[in-house]
Amino acid sequence: MRGQPASREGSTRATDETERADSGPTAASVRAAKPGWEAPAFVAAADLHAEAATNKPRDGPYAWAVIFACFISLMLSIGINDAYGVYQQHYQLTEFPQATTTIISWIGTVQFLIMCVGGVFSGFLCERFDTRVLNAVGAVVMGIAFIAGSFCTSIEGLMATQGLLYGIGASFPFIAGTSIPTQWFTKRQGLATGIALSGSGVGGMWMTSATTALIDSVGRPWAMRVTGIVAMAAVLAVSPWMRVWLVPSRSEHTIDWAMVKNPRFLVLLGAVVFAVAAYFGPFYQMPSYSVVVLHKSATWGSNMDTLMNGLSVVGRLAVGLLADIVGPLNLLIANTALAAVSLLALWVAFDTVGTLIAVALLFGFAIGGIVSVIPVVAAQVFGVARIPSIIGLLFIGYFAGGLLGVPPMSALLDGVGHRTDYTGAVWYMALLPVCSLLFLLALRLMLTRRIRAKV
């Protein structure tokens, strides 16, 4: 049953939101029409024409059950992708030693790119169909993809199964788990989103260790079969709680092109492109870097991914706690700056065991906060009513970032570093968060020029 238009919910808070409007242009502050803010027309329109999709209250026990479901869905969908570095190491050093790093990295890259392409469409599907059903379908496709991949003995076959098919399936839990949390909370939006998105870091952490142990004990084929079965069962189990709180009315356009044309959206999109490009490089290459450059064991190398994923969980939770206090965009800027510093000041300058551990700690913490707070920033600037489709459009940036990140970095490692000198690849990785930071600073200037403003 649909309820009354969701915009009425915020009317009683108009006065309070007006007082806080200088801290950032939330959807409620836009409705309060505070002089000096000129919001895009689609923000107000989306909120005014949104309808409640359920009679379950926001901020209540059921809302936290939704957060748990999002946590599990992201733990398996993104967590498996974050653990691809283990497969990259295995393929590169053991199963396909004659293949180039670039070719092997395309398995994980295709996996993520298809998740992004699927995310653009699944974001709109989530506004038109039951997200619980879509999440369940995604779970089944994810499981089938990894089970089918276990029988593949060629890079092409793995690209089609572990890459393409898995990406299609994972796009539904990915978009739903990322966009739903912001709709279910008004008081602890940042914290709830941080907890939900920490699932991807938790998944990457234990999936990295589990995949390494499974490959060592039962081989890569059975490691993939076990992973596929676990992913399918767990995501299916929580799908009944994967539901949106708001949907746009049926009279709304499927795609609001005003959103794509808005300068604020384009600047945020640019920041997302470079942030995502920076994300996967360390996760994919740090395990093999540990073996080739630092002469550590393969297990030690995979532990670097585990360490980064562990700190990314801490980063997600920390940002969730602080986003409602100091502003999500402010935290996104701070975390992006930390990611840039960790790569530029440490990994570029040094190639020691202690330095690499420090990079894993700092970069893991920073990147976890970055991916966690992007949906909150989008909700603050553009409103929550159409957040699934907004996040879906941002997946265009995720797609572009996937192309801009690992493939060029791997090409530098192959062509310039001859698979042993990582200098060019590390420099490339280090410059990506710097570019993202410049876009974020531009966005903040577009919103407010007050240095201490909560944005």
Side-chain angles (χ1 to χ4, degrees):
M1 296 292 292
R2 297 183 184 277
Q4 296 299 315
S7 59
R8 298 178 185 174
E9 179 189 17
S11 60
T12 59
R13 302 194 305 272
T15 302
D16 291 338
E17 295 291 352
T18 302
E19 294 173 355
R20 295 196 298 268
D22 283 338
S23 299
T26 62
S29 67
V30 169
R31 289 195 296 272
K34 179 176 174 62
W37 284 107
E38 184 177 357
F42 66 82
V43 174
D47 281 347
L48 288 172
H49 294 95
E51 300 174 349
T54 174
N55 59 2
K56 302 291 185 182
R58 299 164 92 179
D59 300 303
Y62 190 89
W64 286 107
V66 173
I67 294 301
F68 175 75
C70 292
F71 177 93
I72 297 298
S73 293
L74 291 173
M75 182 178 71
L76 275 305
S77 59
I78 305 299
I80 288 175
N81 185 258
D82 283 352
Y84 177 75
V86 176
Y87 288 103
Q88 172 83 19
Q89 181 190 66
H90 174 76
Y91 295 148
Q92 185 175 328
L93 302 179
T94 304
E95 196 163 345
F96 307 110
Q98 303 304 317
T100 65
T101 305
T102 304
I103 292 297
I104 294 173
S105 70
W106 270 105
I107 299 173
T109 301
V110 166
Q111 187 181 82
F112 180 71
L113 292 180
I114 297 303
M115 288 172 66
C116 296
V117 173
V120 175
F121 296 101
S122 63
F124 302 123
L125 290 176
C126 284
E127 293 182 348
R128 293 300 187 270
F129 300 98
D130 194 326
T131 49
R132 295 168 292 183
V133 175
L134 295 174
N135 207 67
V137 171
V140 174
V141 176
M142 285 164 55
I144 292 174
F146 257 62
I147 293 171
S150 71
F151 295 98
C152 295
T153 57
S154 67
I155 293 177
E156 293 78 10
L158 290 167
M159 282 187 186
T161 53
Q162 187 179 9
L164 176 65
L165 188 58
Y166 179 83
I168 293 172
S171 65
F172 290 104
F174 188 11
I175 186 66
T178 303
S179 60
I180 287 175
T182 56
Q183 290 194 350
W184 278 92
F185 287 83
T186 58
K187 298 177 182 178
R188 302 180 183 88
Q189 191 179 75
L191 176 61
T193 304
I195 292 173
L197 268 66
S198 69
S200 60
V202 172
M205 183 171 57
W206 75 264
M207 281 300 305
T208 298
S209 299
T211 301
T212 301
L214 284 169
I215 290 176
D216 290 342
S217 59
V218 297
R220 193 267 301 174
W222 272 106
M224 296 189 72
R225 290 166 200 154
V226 171
T227 300
I229 292 170
V230 170
M232 180 164 50
V235 178
L236 274 174
V238 300
S239 290
W241 289 273
M242 293 290 293
R243 63 192 307 176
V244 296
W245 193 83
L246 283 174
V247 293
S249 66
R250 295 305 187 200
S251 62
E252 289 290 300
H253 297 297
T254 301
I255 301 177
D256 194 333
W257 292 110
M259 196 181 309
V260 180
K261 298 174 184 177
N262 183 264
R264 293 176 182 175
F265 180 82
L266 294 177
V267 173
L268 178 60
L269 186 65
V272 168
V273 168
F274 287 102
V276 172
Y279 184 101
F280 287 106
F283 282 100
Y284 281 19
Q285 294 302 335
M286 199 173 282
S288 60
Y289 175 92
S290 302
V291 175
V292 175
V293 177
L294 301 181
H295 309 294
K296 306 297 289 186
S297 68
T299 301
W300 195 93
S302 67
N303 286 341
M304 288 297 95
D305 267 6
T306 302
L307 185 61
M308 277 194 293
N309 277 300
L311 266 294
S312 75
V313 175
V314 178
R316 285 170 168 87
L317 295 176
V319 164
L321 289 169
L322 295 173
D324 300 317
I325 300 173
V326 302
L329 181 56
N330 291 337
L331 281 178
L332 182 55
I333 291 172
N335 277 52
T336 305
L338 179 59
V341 169
S342 69
L343 297 180
L344 278 173
L346 295 177
W347 203 359
V348 166
F350 306 96
D351 54 2
T352 65
V353 171
T355 302
L356 192 66
I357 293 174
V359 172
L361 292 170
L362 294 176
F363 183 82
F365 179 88
I367 206 68
I370 290 171
V371 297
S372 176
V373 81
I374 285 174
V376 185
V377 172
Q380 285 279 72
V381 179
F382 303 109
V384 298
R386 301 207 66 179
I387 194 65
S389 61
I390 292 169
I391 297 297
L393 284 172
L394 284 177
F395 273 24
I396 297 172
Y398 281 60
F399 179 88
L403 287 175
L404 187 64
V406 174
M409 179 201 65
S410 298
L412 282 170
L413 179 59
D414 284 332
V416 179
H418 307 290
R419 303 185 69 177
T420 57
D421 185 354
Y422 284 69
T423 303
V426 173
W427 263 107
Y428 183 78
M429 282 187 279
L431 293 175
L432 293 172
V434 174
C435 295
S436 180
L437 181 61
L438 295 176
F439 275 97
L440 292 173
L441 292 174
L443 177 61
R444 196 183 191 284
L445 287 174
M446 294 171 72
L447 299 179
T448 179
R449 294 182 182 273
R450 294 176 54 199
I451 296 176
R452 297 185 178 181
K454 174 185 171 184
V455 183

